[in-house]
């Protein structure tokens, strides 16, 4: 991955984590890896545990950031989530997959969209 793209991804993840915290979510884990597969953020609020994929773009020229979460990527996130749950065995509650799309405008404006329960198994 190009270094600039990696830095953009880290910035987006930090913006998403800040927004989640501001809205009452506890960040449980970040950048959980299983080989080359990764979950960006795992967050908890009340009885909900969310596995959050963050997509950041410098512009919407190539479409909405959330449109780039492919079926293959969703399957990878499910796989990593299953392994994380096996190791961490959280208390029973709702488990879901969320997505955060971030578009950075040329003037520095940030558009952040959090889609709760973005997809299901």
């Amino acid at each position: 991955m190009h270094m600039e793209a990696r830095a953009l991804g880290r910035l987006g993840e930090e913006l998403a984590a800040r927004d989640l915290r501001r809205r009452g979510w506890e960040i449980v884990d970040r950048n959980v890896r299983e080989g080359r597969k990764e979950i960006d953020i795992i967050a908890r609020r009340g009885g909900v545990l969310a596995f959050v994929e963050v997509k950041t773009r410098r512009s919407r020229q190539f479409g909405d950031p959330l449109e780039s979460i492919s079926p293959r990527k969703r399957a990878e996130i499910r796989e990593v989530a299953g392994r994380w749950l096996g190791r961490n065995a959280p208390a029973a509650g709702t488990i879901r997959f969320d997505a955060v799309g971030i578009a950075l405008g040329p003037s520095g404006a940030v558009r952040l969209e959090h889609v709760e329960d973005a997809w299901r198994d």
Side-chain angles (χ1 to χ4, degrees):
M1 181 184 292
H2 189 269
M3 195 55 140
E4 184 178 323
R6 191 172 291 135
L8 181 66
R10 279 196 301 271
L11 171 63
E13 289 170 19
E14 188 54 42
L15 292 169
R18 246 186 260 165
D19 182 68
L20 288 165
R21 277 192 219 96
R22 183 181 60 74
R23 294 186 304 111
W25 289 86
E26 170 197 357
I27 305 302
V28 176
D29 213 338
R30 285 181 67 175
N31 305 116
V32 176
R33 298 189 78 82
E34 290 287 338
R36 297 178 58 87
K37 301 168 186 162
E38 179 185 37
I39 293 175
D40 296 323
I41 299 172
I42 301 173
R44 180 188 322 266
R45 184 172 70 183
V48 176
L49 183 68
F51 295 92
V52 184
E53 174 68 3
V54 180
K55 288 294 181 187
T56 308
R57 297 286 182 265
R58 287 208 182 280
S59 75
R60 297 186 63 167
Q61 177 181 356
F62 299 107
D64 187 288
L66 295 174
E67 293 172 354
S68 65
I69 304 174
S70 67
R72 179 176 169 210
K73 180 65 177 173
R74 291 193 299 265
E76 289 176 358
I77 292 167
R78 272 194 303 276
E79 180 183 333
V80 176
R83 291 182 183 179
W84 187 91
L85 287 166
R87 286 191 306 271
N88 294 281
T94 302
I95 293 170
R96 70 178 195 211
F97 298 97
D98 287 9
V100 174
I102 299 174
L104 304 176
S107 65
V110 175
R111 186 179 72 68
L112 185 147
E113 180 183 3
H114 179 185
V115 178
E116 299 182 354
D117 206 11
W119 70 87
R120 295 180 181 247
D121 282 346

